Short mmCIF file of all heavy atoms in Angstrom, two decimals:
data_model
loop_
_atom_site.label_atom_id
_atom_site.label_comp_id
_atom_site.label_asym_id
_atom_site.label_seq_id
_atom_site.Cartn_x
_atom_site.Cartn_y
_atom_site.Cartn_z
N HIS A 210 13.31 51.78 -27.88
CA HIS A 210 14.20 52.75 -28.49
C HIS A 210 14.88 53.54 -27.36
O HIS A 210 14.32 53.63 -26.29
CB HIS A 210 13.34 53.70 -29.37
CG HIS A 210 14.13 54.66 -30.19
ND1 HIS A 210 14.62 55.83 -29.70
CD2 HIS A 210 14.50 54.63 -31.50
CE1 HIS A 210 15.25 56.48 -30.63
NE2 HIS A 210 15.19 55.79 -31.76
N LEU A 212 14.84 56.44 -26.73
CA LEU A 212 13.96 57.51 -26.26
C LEU A 212 12.66 57.00 -25.70
O LEU A 212 11.82 57.78 -25.27
CB LEU A 212 13.67 58.49 -27.42
CG LEU A 212 14.91 59.18 -28.01
CD1 LEU A 212 14.49 60.11 -29.16
CD2 LEU A 212 15.64 59.98 -26.94
N TRP A 341 17.63 43.47 -31.51
CA TRP A 341 17.92 44.19 -32.76
C TRP A 341 19.11 45.13 -32.65
O TRP A 341 19.90 45.27 -33.58
CB TRP A 341 16.68 44.92 -33.26
CG TRP A 341 16.25 46.10 -32.45
CD1 TRP A 341 15.40 46.08 -31.38
CD2 TRP A 341 16.61 47.46 -32.66
NE1 TRP A 341 15.22 47.35 -30.89
CE2 TRP A 341 15.94 48.22 -31.66
CE3 TRP A 341 17.42 48.13 -33.55
CZ2 TRP A 341 16.08 49.61 -31.55
CZ3 TRP A 341 17.55 49.51 -33.46
CH2 TRP A 341 16.90 50.22 -32.47
N THR A 398 23.45 56.51 -28.63
CA THR A 398 23.31 57.93 -28.98
C THR A 398 22.98 58.11 -30.47
O THR A 398 22.15 58.93 -30.83
CB THR A 398 24.59 58.67 -28.63
OG1 THR A 398 24.89 58.48 -27.25
CG2 THR A 398 24.43 60.15 -28.90
N THR A 399 23.64 57.29 -31.31
CA THR A 399 23.40 57.40 -32.75
C THR A 399 21.95 57.06 -33.08
O THR A 399 21.31 57.75 -33.87
CB THR A 399 24.35 56.44 -33.51
OG1 THR A 399 25.69 56.78 -33.22
CG2 THR A 399 24.12 56.52 -35.00
N ILE A 400 21.44 55.97 -32.47
CA ILE A 400 20.04 55.58 -32.73
C ILE A 400 19.09 56.67 -32.24
O ILE A 400 18.10 57.01 -32.92
CB ILE A 400 19.75 54.23 -32.03
CG1 ILE A 400 20.57 53.13 -32.68
CG2 ILE A 400 18.27 53.93 -32.14
CD1 ILE A 400 20.43 51.78 -31.98
N ALA A 401 19.39 57.22 -31.09
CA ALA A 401 18.50 58.25 -30.53
C ALA A 401 18.47 59.51 -31.41
O ALA A 401 17.41 60.10 -31.63
CB ALA A 401 18.98 58.61 -29.13
N LEU A 402 19.60 59.89 -31.96
CA LEU A 402 19.68 61.09 -32.76
C LEU A 402 19.09 60.88 -34.16
O LEU A 402 18.40 61.77 -34.68
CB LEU A 402 21.13 61.55 -32.90
CG LEU A 402 21.79 62.09 -31.61
CD1 LEU A 402 23.27 62.40 -31.85
CD2 LEU A 402 21.07 63.32 -31.11
N MET A 403 19.31 59.72 -34.74
CA MET A 403 18.88 59.50 -36.12
C MET A 403 17.42 59.05 -36.21
O MET A 403 16.73 59.38 -37.17
CB MET A 403 19.79 58.47 -36.80
CG MET A 403 21.23 58.92 -36.90
SD MET A 403 22.18 57.90 -38.06
CE MET A 403 21.36 58.30 -39.60
N GLY A 404 16.98 58.28 -35.23
CA GLY A 404 15.58 57.85 -35.25
C GLY A 404 15.27 57.07 -36.51
O GLY A 404 16.01 56.18 -36.93
N ASP A 405 14.17 57.43 -37.17
CA ASP A 405 13.74 56.71 -38.39
C ASP A 405 14.68 56.91 -39.55
O ASP A 405 14.65 56.14 -40.52
CB ASP A 405 12.34 57.17 -38.79
CG ASP A 405 11.28 56.80 -37.76
OD1 ASP A 405 11.57 55.87 -36.95
OD2 ASP A 405 10.20 57.42 -37.73
N LEU A 406 15.54 57.95 -39.49
CA LEU A 406 16.50 58.15 -40.57
C LEU A 406 17.50 57.01 -40.69
O LEU A 406 18.13 56.82 -41.72
CB LEU A 406 17.27 59.46 -40.36
CG LEU A 406 16.47 60.76 -40.58
CD1 LEU A 406 17.34 61.96 -40.25
CD2 LEU A 406 15.97 60.83 -42.03
N LEU A 407 17.64 56.23 -39.59
CA LEU A 407 18.58 55.12 -39.59
C LEU A 407 18.19 54.09 -40.65
O LEU A 407 19.05 53.53 -41.36
CB LEU A 407 18.62 54.46 -38.21
CG LEU A 407 19.76 53.47 -37.93
CD1 LEU A 407 21.10 54.16 -38.02
CD2 LEU A 407 19.57 52.82 -36.58
N LEU A 408 16.88 53.86 -40.81
CA LEU A 408 16.40 52.92 -41.83
C LEU A 408 16.74 53.43 -43.22
O LEU A 408 17.24 52.68 -44.07
CB LEU A 408 14.91 52.72 -41.70
CG LEU A 408 14.23 51.88 -42.79
CD1 LEU A 408 14.80 50.48 -42.83
CD2 LEU A 408 12.71 51.85 -42.57
N TRP A 409 16.48 54.72 -43.47
CA TRP A 409 16.74 55.28 -44.80
C TRP A 409 18.24 55.30 -45.12
O TRP A 409 18.65 55.10 -46.25
CB TRP A 409 16.15 56.68 -44.90
CG TRP A 409 14.67 56.67 -44.79
CD1 TRP A 409 13.93 57.11 -43.74
CD2 TRP A 409 13.74 56.15 -45.78
NE1 TRP A 409 12.57 56.91 -43.99
CE2 TRP A 409 12.44 56.34 -45.22
CE3 TRP A 409 13.88 55.57 -47.03
CZ2 TRP A 409 11.29 55.95 -45.91
CZ3 TRP A 409 12.73 55.19 -47.70
CH2 TRP A 409 11.46 55.36 -47.15
N LEU A 410 19.06 55.54 -44.06
CA LEU A 410 20.49 55.49 -44.26
C LEU A 410 20.94 54.07 -44.63
O LEU A 410 21.80 53.91 -45.51
CB LEU A 410 21.22 55.93 -42.98
CG LEU A 410 22.75 55.87 -43.00
CD1 LEU A 410 23.30 56.81 -44.09
CD2 LEU A 410 23.33 56.22 -41.63
#
Side-chain angles (χ1 to χ4, degrees):
H210 187 279
L212 298 180
W341 70 271
T398 304
T399 301
I400 294 175
L402 292 175
M403 298 195 65
D405 295 339
L406 289 176
L407 193 62
L408 173 61
W409 296 108
L410 177 62

